[in-house]
mmCIF file with all atom_site columns, all heavy atoms in Angstrom:
data_model
loop_
_atom_site.group_PDB
_atom_site.id
_atom_site.type_symbol
_atom_site.label_atom_id
_atom_site.label_alt_id
_atom_site.label_comp_id
_atom_site.label_asym_id
_atom_site.label_entity_id
_atom_site.label_seq_id
_atom_site.pdbx_PDB_ins_code
_atom_site.Cartn_x
_atom_site.Cartn_y
_atom_site.Cartn_z
_atom_site.occupancy
_atom_site.B_iso_or_equiv
_atom_site.pdbx_formal_charge
_atom_site.auth_seq_id
_atom_site.auth_comp_id
_atom_site.auth_asym_id
_atom_site.auth_atom_id
_atom_site.pdbx_PDB_model_num
ATOM 1   N N   . GLU B 1 304 ? 8.685  -9.953  30.417 1.00 0.00 ? 304 GLU B N   1
ATOM 2   C CA  . GLU B 1 304 ? 8.564  -9.063  31.612 1.00 0.00 ? 304 GLU B CA  1
ATOM 3   C C   . GLU B 1 304 ? 9.751  -8.131  31.808 1.00 0.00 ? 304 GLU B C   1
ATOM 4   O O   . GLU B 1 304 ? 9.608  -7.016  32.210 1.00 0.00 ? 304 GLU B O   1
ATOM 5   C CB  . GLU B 1 304 ? 8.336  -9.972  32.822 1.00 0.00 ? 304 GLU B CB  1
ATOM 6   C CG  . GLU B 1 304 ? 6.778  -10.315 32.947 1.00 0.00 ? 304 GLU B CG  1
ATOM 7   C CD  . GLU B 1 304 ? 6.637  -11.473 33.962 1.00 0.00 ? 304 GLU B CD  1
ATOM 8   O OE1 . GLU B 1 304 ? 7.517  -11.511 34.876 1.00 0.00 ? 304 GLU B OE1 1
ATOM 9   O OE2 . GLU B 1 304 ? 5.736  -12.345 33.849 1.00 0.00 ? 304 GLU B OE2 1
ATOM 10  N N   . VAL B 1 305 ? 10.977 -8.834  31.757 1.00 0.00 ? 305 VAL B N   1
ATOM 11  C CA  . VAL B 1 305 ? 12.194 -7.986  31.965 1.00 0.00 ? 305 VAL B CA  1
ATOM 12  C C   . VAL B 1 305 ? 12.303 -6.894  30.862 1.00 0.00 ? 305 VAL B C   1
ATOM 13  O O   . VAL B 1 305 ? 12.584 -5.702  31.260 1.00 0.00 ? 305 VAL B O   1
ATOM 14  C CB  . VAL B 1 305 ? 13.375 -8.907  31.925 1.00 0.00 ? 305 VAL B CB  1
ATOM 15  C CG1 . VAL B 1 305 ? 14.675 -8.086  32.021 1.00 0.00 ? 305 VAL B CG1 1
ATOM 16  C CG2 . VAL B 1 305 ? 13.306 -9.994  33.024 1.00 0.00 ? 305 VAL B CG2 1
ATOM 17  N N   . LEU B 1 306 ? 11.901 -7.326  29.644 1.00 0.00 ? 306 LEU B N   1
ATOM 18  C CA  . LEU B 1 306 ? 11.934 -6.212  28.539 1.00 0.00 ? 306 LEU B CA  1
ATOM 19  C C   . LEU B 1 306 ? 10.917 -5.186  28.787 1.00 0.00 ? 306 LEU B C   1
ATOM 20  O O   . LEU B 1 306 ? 11.278 -3.927  28.552 1.00 0.00 ? 306 LEU B O   1
ATOM 21  C CB  . LEU B 1 306 ? 11.566 -6.974  27.222 1.00 0.00 ? 306 LEU B CB  1
ATOM 22  C CG  . LEU B 1 306 ? 11.872 -6.497  25.855 1.00 0.00 ? 306 LEU B CG  1
ATOM 23  C CD1 . LEU B 1 306 ? 13.438 -6.052  25.848 1.00 0.00 ? 306 LEU B CD1 1
ATOM 24  C CD2 . LEU B 1 306 ? 11.719 -7.508  24.727 1.00 0.00 ? 306 LEU B CD2 1
ATOM 25  N N   . GLU B 1 307 ? 9.753  -5.497  29.323 1.00 0.00 ? 307 GLU B N   1
ATOM 26  C CA  . GLU B 1 307 ? 8.661  -4.526  29.588 1.00 0.00 ? 307 GLU B CA  1
ATOM 27  C C   . GLU B 1 307 ? 9.347  -3.412  30.572 1.00 0.00 ? 307 GLU B C   1
ATOM 28  O O   . GLU B 1 307 ? 9.135  -2.228  30.326 1.00 0.00 ? 307 GLU B O   1
ATOM 29  C CB  . GLU B 1 307 ? 7.462  -5.013  30.038 1.00 0.00 ? 307 GLU B CB  1
ATOM 30  C CG  . GLU B 1 307 ? 6.575  -5.776  29.131 1.00 0.00 ? 307 GLU B CG  1
ATOM 31  C CD  . GLU B 1 307 ? 5.464  -6.612  29.737 1.00 0.00 ? 307 GLU B CD  1
ATOM 32  O OE1 . GLU B 1 307 ? 5.221  -6.410  30.864 1.00 0.00 ? 307 GLU B OE1 1
ATOM 33  O OE2 . GLU B 1 307 ? 4.837  -7.337  28.955 1.00 0.00 ? 307 GLU B OE2 1
ATOM 34  N N   . VAL B 1 308 ? 10.013 -3.795  31.568 1.00 0.00 ? 308 VAL B N   1
ATOM 35  C CA  . VAL B 1 308 ? 10.514 -2.995  32.578 1.00 0.00 ? 308 VAL B CA  1
ATOM 36  C C   . VAL B 1 308 ? 11.563 -2.079  31.910 1.00 0.00 ? 308 VAL B C   1
ATOM 37  O O   . VAL B 1 308 ? 11.631 -0.699  31.996 1.00 0.00 ? 308 VAL B O   1
ATOM 38  C CB  . VAL B 1 308 ? 11.109 -3.648  33.725 1.00 0.00 ? 308 VAL B CB  1
ATOM 39  C CG1 . VAL B 1 308 ? 11.792 -2.718  34.576 1.00 0.00 ? 308 VAL B CG1 1
ATOM 40  C CG2 . VAL B 1 308 ? 9.978  -4.414  34.521 1.00 0.00 ? 308 VAL B CG2 1
ATOM 41  N N   . PHE B 1 309 ? 12.456 -2.598  31.130 1.00 0.00 ? 309 PHE B N   1
ATOM 42  C CA  . PHE B 1 309 ? 13.541 -1.903  30.465 1.00 0.00 ? 309 PHE B CA  1
ATOM 43  C C   . PHE B 1 309 ? 12.889 -0.756  29.560 1.00 0.00 ? 309 PHE B C   1
ATOM 44  O O   . PHE B 1 309 ? 13.259 0.393   29.506 1.00 0.00 ? 309 PHE B O   1
ATOM 45  C CB  . PHE B 1 309 ? 14.250 -2.855  29.598 1.00 0.00 ? 309 PHE B CB  1
ATOM 46  C CG  . PHE B 1 309 ? 15.436 -2.130  28.821 1.00 0.00 ? 309 PHE B CG  1
ATOM 47  C CD1 . PHE B 1 309 ? 16.395 -1.639  29.291 1.00 0.00 ? 309 PHE B CD1 1
ATOM 48  C CD2 . PHE B 1 309 ? 15.178 -2.111  27.356 1.00 0.00 ? 309 PHE B CD2 1
ATOM 49  C CE1 . PHE B 1 309 ? 17.418 -0.938  28.503 1.00 0.00 ? 309 PHE B CE1 1
ATOM 50  C CE2 . PHE B 1 309 ? 16.220 -1.435  26.523 1.00 0.00 ? 309 PHE B CE2 1
ATOM 51  C CZ  . PHE B 1 309 ? 17.265 -0.970  27.138 1.00 0.00 ? 309 PHE B CZ  1
ATOM 52  N N   . PHE B 1 310 ? 11.902 -1.112  28.758 1.00 0.00 ? 310 PHE B N   1
ATOM 53  C CA  . PHE B 1 310 ? 11.257 -0.155  27.755 1.00 0.00 ? 310 PHE B CA  1
ATOM 54  C C   . PHE B 1 310 ? 10.577 0.929   28.560 1.00 0.00 ? 310 PHE B C   1
ATOM 55  O O   . PHE B 1 310 ? 10.640 2.183   28.317 1.00 0.00 ? 310 PHE B O   1
ATOM 56  C CB  . PHE B 1 310 ? 10.203 -0.823  26.915 1.00 0.00 ? 310 PHE B CB  1
ATOM 57  C CG  . PHE B 1 310 ? 10.978 -1.617  25.659 1.00 0.00 ? 310 PHE B CG  1
ATOM 58  C CD1 . PHE B 1 310 ? 10.469 -2.745  25.246 1.00 0.00 ? 310 PHE B CD1 1
ATOM 59  C CD2 . PHE B 1 310 ? 12.143 -1.034  25.016 1.00 0.00 ? 310 PHE B CD2 1
ATOM 60  C CE1 . PHE B 1 310 ? 10.972 -3.379  24.137 1.00 0.00 ? 310 PHE B CE1 1
ATOM 61  C CE2 . PHE B 1 310 ? 12.630 -1.751  24.078 1.00 0.00 ? 310 PHE B CE2 1
ATOM 62  C CZ  . PHE B 1 310 ? 12.223 -2.835  23.498 1.00 0.00 ? 310 PHE B CZ  1
ATOM 63  N N   . LEU B 1 311 ? 9.853  0.611   29.663 1.00 0.00 ? 311 LEU B N   1
ATOM 64  C CA  . LEU B 1 311 ? 9.095  1.378   30.472 1.00 0.00 ? 311 LEU B CA  1
ATOM 65  C C   . LEU B 1 311 ? 10.017 2.509   31.047 1.00 0.00 ? 311 LEU B C   1
ATOM 66  O O   . LEU B 1 311 ? 9.581  3.641   31.300 1.00 0.00 ? 311 LEU B O   1
ATOM 67  C CB  . LEU B 1 311 ? 8.409  0.735   31.575 1.00 0.00 ? 311 LEU B CB  1
ATOM 68  C CG  . LEU B 1 311 ? 7.079  1.307   32.134 1.00 0.00 ? 311 LEU B CG  1
ATOM 69  C CD1 . LEU B 1 311 ? 6.158  1.774   31.038 1.00 0.00 ? 311 LEU B CD1 1
ATOM 70  C CD2 . LEU B 1 311 ? 6.526  0.367   33.062 1.00 0.00 ? 311 LEU B CD2 1
ATOM 71  N N   . LEU B 1 312 ? 11.248 2.223   31.314 1.00 0.00 ? 312 LEU B N   1
ATOM 72  C CA  . LEU B 1 312 ? 12.224 3.116   31.948 1.00 0.00 ? 312 LEU B CA  1
ATOM 73  C C   . LEU B 1 312 ? 12.987 4.134   31.015 1.00 0.00 ? 312 LEU B C   1
ATOM 74  O O   . LEU B 1 312 ? 13.738 4.794   31.414 1.00 0.00 ? 312 LEU B O   1
ATOM 75  C CB  . LEU B 1 312 ? 13.127 2.388   32.847 1.00 0.00 ? 312 LEU B CB  1
ATOM 76  C CG  . LEU B 1 312 ? 12.450 1.787   34.034 1.00 0.00 ? 312 LEU B CG  1
ATOM 77  C CD1 . LEU B 1 312 ? 13.554 0.911   34.781 1.00 0.00 ? 312 LEU B CD1 1
ATOM 78  C CD2 . LEU B 1 312 ? 11.978 2.848   35.022 1.00 0.00 ? 312 LEU B CD2 1
ATOM 79  N N   . HIS B 1 313 ? 12.716 3.853   29.636 1.00 0.00 ? 313 HIS B N   1
ATOM 80  C CA  . HIS B 1 313 ? 13.258 4.825   28.639 1.00 0.00 ? 313 HIS B CA  1
ATOM 81  C C   . HIS B 1 313 ? 12.281 5.546   27.836 1.00 0.00 ? 313 HIS B C   1
ATOM 82  O O   . HIS B 1 313 ? 11.157 4.972   27.677 1.00 0.00 ? 313 HIS B O   1
ATOM 83  C CB  . HIS B 1 313 ? 14.157 3.900   27.802 1.00 0.00 ? 313 HIS B CB  1
ATOM 84  C CG  . HIS B 1 313 ? 15.413 3.383   28.491 1.00 0.00 ? 313 HIS B CG  1
ATOM 85  N ND1 . HIS B 1 313 ? 15.370 2.263   29.295 1.00 0.00 ? 313 HIS B ND1 1
ATOM 86  C CD2 . HIS B 1 313 ? 16.744 3.851   28.636 1.00 0.00 ? 313 HIS B CD2 1
ATOM 87  C CE1 . HIS B 1 313 ? 16.566 1.934   29.786 1.00 0.00 ? 313 HIS B CE1 1
ATOM 88  N NE2 . HIS B 1 313 ? 17.391 2.881   29.509 1.00 0.00 ? 313 HIS B NE2 1
ATOM 89  N N   . ASP B 1 314 ? 12.679 6.709   27.270 1.00 0.00 ? 314 ASP B N   1
ATOM 90  C CA  . ASP B 1 314 ? 11.790 7.338   26.272 1.00 0.00 ? 314 ASP B CA  1
ATOM 91  C C   . ASP B 1 314 ? 11.996 6.754   24.871 1.00 0.00 ? 314 ASP B C   1
ATOM 92  O O   . ASP B 1 314 ? 12.926 6.096   24.567 1.00 0.00 ? 314 ASP B O   1
ATOM 93  C CB  . ASP B 1 314 ? 12.058 8.856   26.403 1.00 0.00 ? 314 ASP B CB  1
ATOM 94  C CG  . ASP B 1 314 ? 13.410 9.194   25.861 1.00 0.00 ? 314 ASP B CG  1
ATOM 95  O OD1 . ASP B 1 314 ? 13.693 8.982   24.593 1.00 0.00 ? 314 ASP B OD1 1
ATOM 96  O OD2 . ASP B 1 314 ? 14.102 9.790   26.578 1.00 0.00 ? 314 ASP B OD2 1
ATOM 97  N N   . ALA B 1 315 ? 10.956 7.027   24.038 1.00 0.00 ? 315 ALA B N   1
ATOM 98  C CA  . ALA B 1 315 ? 10.796 6.448   22.656 1.00 0.00 ? 315 ALA B CA  1
ATOM 99  C C   . ALA B 1 315 ? 12.026 6.875   21.891 1.00 0.00 ? 315 ALA B C   1
ATOM 100 O O   . ALA B 1 315 ? 12.527 5.950   21.108 1.00 0.00 ? 315 ALA B O   1
ATOM 101 C CB  . ALA B 1 315 ? 9.575  6.919   22.003 1.00 0.00 ? 315 ALA B CB  1
ATOM 102 N N   . ASP B 1 316 ? 12.505 8.095   21.840 1.00 0.00 ? 316 ASP B N   1
ATOM 103 C CA  . ASP B 1 316 ? 13.675 8.464   20.998 1.00 0.00 ? 316 ASP B CA  1
ATOM 104 C C   . ASP B 1 316 ? 14.852 7.624   21.380 1.00 0.00 ? 316 ASP B C   1
ATOM 105 O O   . ASP B 1 316 ? 15.612 7.181   20.620 1.00 0.00 ? 316 ASP B O   1
ATOM 106 C CB  . ASP B 1 316 ? 13.798 9.932   21.170 1.00 0.00 ? 316 ASP B CB  1
ATOM 107 C CG  . ASP B 1 316 ? 13.242 10.678  19.923 1.00 0.00 ? 316 ASP B CG  1
ATOM 108 O OD1 . ASP B 1 316 ? 12.835 9.965   19.052 1.00 0.00 ? 316 ASP B OD1 1
ATOM 109 O OD2 . ASP B 1 316 ? 13.371 11.879  19.908 1.00 0.00 ? 316 ASP B OD2 1
ATOM 110 N N   . THR B 1 317 ? 15.136 7.589   22.706 1.00 0.00 ? 317 THR B N   1
ATOM 111 C CA  . THR B 1 317 ? 16.383 6.867   23.100 1.00 0.00 ? 317 THR B CA  1
ATOM 112 C C   . THR B 1 317 ? 16.275 5.363   22.783 1.00 0.00 ? 317 THR B C   1
ATOM 113 O O   . THR B 1 317 ? 17.275 4.991   22.250 1.00 0.00 ? 317 THR B O   1
ATOM 114 C CB  . THR B 1 317 ? 16.469 6.891   24.698 1.00 0.00 ? 317 THR B CB  1
ATOM 115 O OG1 . THR B 1 317 ? 16.464 8.293   25.086 1.00 0.00 ? 317 THR B OG1 1
ATOM 116 C CG2 . THR B 1 317 ? 17.644 6.311   25.169 1.00 0.00 ? 317 THR B CG2 1
ATOM 117 N N   . LEU B 1 318 ? 15.143 4.782   22.914 1.00 0.00 ? 318 LEU B N   1
ATOM 118 C CA  . LEU B 1 318 ? 14.885 3.448   22.436 1.00 0.00 ? 318 LEU B CA  1
ATOM 119 C C   . LEU B 1 318 ? 15.153 3.251   21.092 1.00 0.00 ? 318 LEU B C   1
ATOM 120 O O   . LEU B 1 318 ? 15.869 2.204   20.645 1.00 0.00 ? 318 LEU B O   1
ATOM 121 C CB  . LEU B 1 318 ? 13.564 2.851   22.992 1.00 0.00 ? 318 LEU B CB  1
ATOM 122 C CG  . LEU B 1 318 ? 13.366 2.720   24.528 1.00 0.00 ? 318 LEU B CG  1
ATOM 123 C CD1 . LEU B 1 318 ? 11.800 2.515   24.768 1.00 0.00 ? 318 LEU B CD1 1
ATOM 124 C CD2 . LEU B 1 318 ? 14.215 1.681   25.062 1.00 0.00 ? 318 LEU B CD2 1
ATOM 125 N N   . TYR B 1 319 ? 14.549 4.155   20.298 1.00 0.00 ? 319 TYR B N   1
ATOM 126 C CA  . TYR B 1 319 ? 14.706 4.064   18.729 1.00 0.00 ? 319 TYR B CA  1
ATOM 127 C C   . TYR B 1 319 ? 16.269 4.121   18.251 1.00 0.00 ? 319 TYR B C   1
ATOM 128 O O   . TYR B 1 319 ? 16.687 3.316   17.640 1.00 0.00 ? 319 TYR B O   1
ATOM 129 C CB  . TYR B 1 319 ? 13.824 5.239   18.208 1.00 0.00 ? 319 TYR B CB  1
ATOM 130 C CG  . TYR B 1 319 ? 13.840 5.356   16.726 1.00 0.00 ? 319 TYR B CG  1
ATOM 131 C CD1 . TYR B 1 319 ? 13.814 4.295   15.792 1.00 0.00 ? 319 TYR B CD1 1
ATOM 132 C CD2 . TYR B 1 319 ? 13.747 6.553   16.116 1.00 0.00 ? 319 TYR B CD2 1
ATOM 133 C CE1 . TYR B 1 319 ? 13.789 4.322   14.486 1.00 0.00 ? 319 TYR B CE1 1
ATOM 134 C CE2 . TYR B 1 319 ? 13.746 6.707   14.752 1.00 0.00 ? 319 TYR B CE2 1
ATOM 135 C CZ  . TYR B 1 319 ? 13.698 5.731   13.927 1.00 0.00 ? 319 TYR B CZ  1
ATOM 136 O OH  . TYR B 1 319 ? 13.621 5.832   12.595 1.00 0.00 ? 319 TYR B OH  1
#
Side-chain angles (χ1 to χ4, degrees):
Chain B
E304 280 167 22
V305 177
L306 200 52
E307 279 170 17
V308 172
F309 174 71
F310 283 141
L311 205 51
L312 291 172
H313 292 83
D314 64 62
D316 256 355
T317 302
L318 292 170
Y319 179 40

